[in-house]
Amino acid sequence: MAPIEPHAAKLRIIHVFRAPLGGLFRHVVDLAAEQSARGHDVGMFFDANAFCPRVEAALARIPGGLRLGVAMTPIRRNPGPGDLVAMARFSAFLRRAAPDVVHGHGSKGGLYARLSAIAGPAGATRAYTPHGGSFNYRPGTAVNRAYMLAERALAPLTDVFLFESAYIAGRFDALVGARNGVRRIVANGLSPSEFFESKPNDDAADLLYVGELRAAKGIDTLLEAIARVGRARGLIPRAVLVGSGPDEAALGELAQRLGIGDFVAFAGQLPAHEAFKRGRTLVVPSRAESMPYIVLEAAAARMPMIATDVGGIPEIYGPYRHRLGRSDDPGDLQARIEAMLAKPEAERRAEAADLAGHVADRFSIQTMVNAVMAGYAEARARRRRPLGGAAAVASPN
């Protein structure tokens, strides 16, 4: 374990979130692992119903373990009476852990972390990373208005906002508008070992999707585009969908109705590096995203990719943003699939290598964690600063 620098304070940090799934869980584990490796004491609180061998294995990879412990209780996605019980248990966990920082991730984690300023022990810095969360709901809908009211009520209890993309920071400014607290944009990061050239299996499908099987991901648009390609070319491209989610059955039925059921395989959940071997081009047809890990991971693996111009994806693509397509548009996606299928393999790989180089220069775990720790330090310094006085900001580590 790397020691903490002499000028920097050792911190006790609790991460709270709902489900240990997807990019949010990966972000928390990466962050906790590096914080622990730097000598801080870390703990977690999350939904007991989602605990499984996969989660246990991920937590076991944290150097030195979670020294403040892991506490779990049932946590539902939507607000309800069960949140009162969960919040009481979370408050009890915080009293035992006595953290310096309580970091909430996602809508539910952000709720618990910030309410703990009232219901939990005093003195801790409250940090919040949305991970899309409530900001992914369509503006103007009833559910979006309800979540934005909650965000406005919770904002005064937030010491530091750690937005994972400039896009989400902009949504926050437009829909919430609160200006209190420290604000930083902290993009997700990758480790050096994730930069390699993925090679497809000999029997790999033409197209690959990796992620949750739910409406916001736009998989129905992908299926409609595949059917259009089949009608236009007289040959239906094969696709593999990797992941799980509430819309799996509905997507299977849609594939059958479109006449492509025999060409679309559902592979269940797989690690990204294993999933990448199943296809020759990754398709990310999302309607809403924040800073999706799957795009970063595919770019690092030099995998040819078709993605939509939504959320934080343009921030990942940077100078290659012109390659992105429209969301929720089967015709546009059809054209992009046909163009990709027609490209020589050398051109596809050269484009993928360009994007990999851009991502390697800008998205690292070290940079991500340094920015988080700097946000904690600035927020803690503000809390210590007397009225009319000044305080030195502790160096992040």
Side-chain angles (χ1 to χ4, degrees):
M1 180 172 66
I4 295 177
E5 294 90 341
H7 59 271
K10 177 179 179 178
L11 297 179
R12 298 169 66 84
I13 305 164
I14 295 295
H15 295 283
V16 53
F17 51 98
R18 186 184 67 84
L21 296 169
L24 183 153
F25 185 50
R26 157 143 190 192
H27 176 90
V28 174
V29 170
D30 284 349
L31 180 55
E34 183 61 23
Q35 289 171 335
S36 181
R38 296 183 186 195
H40 301 288
D41 293 334
V42 183
M44 290 186 190
F45 186 91
F46 56 85
D47 180 15
N49 293 324
F51 190 74
C52 64
R54 172 189 58 81
V55 173
E56 186 175 20
L59 299 184
R61 292 193 293 270
I62 294 175
L66 291 165
R67 291 183 287 276
L68 297 185
V70 176
M72 296 176 282
T73 194
I75 303 174
R76 296 179 64 86
R77 177 187 290 272
N78 295 320
D83 286 319
L84 298 176
V85 176
M87 189 66 214
R89 292 174 178 169
F90 181 52
S91 297
F93 175 53
L94 293 183
R95 286 192 291 271
R96 296 192 301 272
D100 301 302
V101 176
V102 182
H103 191 158
H105 300 265
S107 299
K108 191 60 68 83
L111 173 69
Y112 289 9
R114 294 181 287 177
L115 283 182
S116 72
I118 299 171
T125 295
R126 269 71 186 186
Y128 173 43
T129 302
H131 296 280
S134 57
F135 295 95
N136 277 341
Y137 289 99
R138 189 181 302 242
T141 62
V143 66
N144 174 262
R145 288 194 295 270
Y147 275 117
M148 293 306 103
L149 284 173
E151 291 287 350
R152 284 191 283 274
L154 292 167
L157 304 176
T158 314
D159 296 305
V160 53
F161 296 92
L162 300 168
F163 299 112
E164 62 276 22
S165 65
Y167 168 76
I168 292 297
R171 290 290 294 267
F172 179 89
D173 289 341
L175 300 174
V176 180
R179 288 291 177 180
N180 65 289
V182 175
R183 294 162 53 96
R184 287 177 181 261
I185 294 174
V186 182
N188 295 331
L190 302 176
S191 67
S193 64
E194 293 178 270
F195 289 85
F196 64 96
E197 186 169 9
S198 176
K199 298 290 188 181
N201 294 335
D202 290 341
D203 62 348
D206 302 295
L207 306 173
L208 172 70
Y209 169 84
V210 182
E212 287 187 85
L213 305 181
R214 60 186 179 91
K217 299 298 184 179
I219 310 162
D220 56 321
T221 306
L222 172 58
L223 296 179
E224 291 180 25
I226 290 171
R228 287 173 176 239
V229 172
R231 290 194 295 269
R233 299 171 72 235
L235 182 65
I236 300 172
R238 292 191 302 118
V240 173
L241 308 185
V242 174
S244 62
D247 294 338
E248 181 170 352
L251 291 168
E253 293 170 2
L254 176 60
Q256 293 294 336
R257 289 200 304 273
L258 292 170
I260 60 172
D262 292 340
F263 297 85
V264 177
F266 290 80
Q269 291 184 308
L270 292 170
H273 66 277
E274 290 294 330
F276 292 157
K277 299 175 184 178
R278 303 290 188 94
R280 301 184 185 280
T281 295
L282 180 74
V283 184
V284 183
S286 299
R287 295 184 171 100
E289 288 289 356
S290 176
M291 178 61 65
Y293 268 105
I294 192 60
V295 175
L296 289 170
E297 290 166 335
R302 298 189 178 190
M303 184 161 194
M305 186 165 27
I306 298 169
T308 50
D309 189 358
V310 299
I313 295 179
E315 296 169 52
I316 298 174
Y317 268 68
Y320 306 108
R321 177 176 178 165
H322 62 277
R323 298 179 185 174
L324 299 172
R326 295 190 296 271
S327 66
D328 214 14
D329 187 336
D332 181 75
L333 186 53
Q334 171 196 354
R336 291 179 180 275
I337 291 172
E338 290 177 343
M340 184 65 81
L341 293 174
K343 279 181 185 176
E345 182 66 14
E347 183 179 348
R348 288 153 44 89
R349 289 289 169 180
E351 289 182 353
D354 289 342
L355 183 58
H358 171 73
V359 168
D361 288 341
R362 291 163 178 78
F363 298 90
S364 75
I365 288 177
Q366 290 291 328
T367 300
M368 178 184 84
V369 178
N370 288 345
V372 168
M373 300 308 296
Y376 291 172
E378 185 179 352
R380 284 169 54 76
R382 284 194 184 187
R383 290 175 66 91
R384 292 194 301 268
R385 185 177 299 138
L387 290 175
V393 176
S395 299
N397 61 337

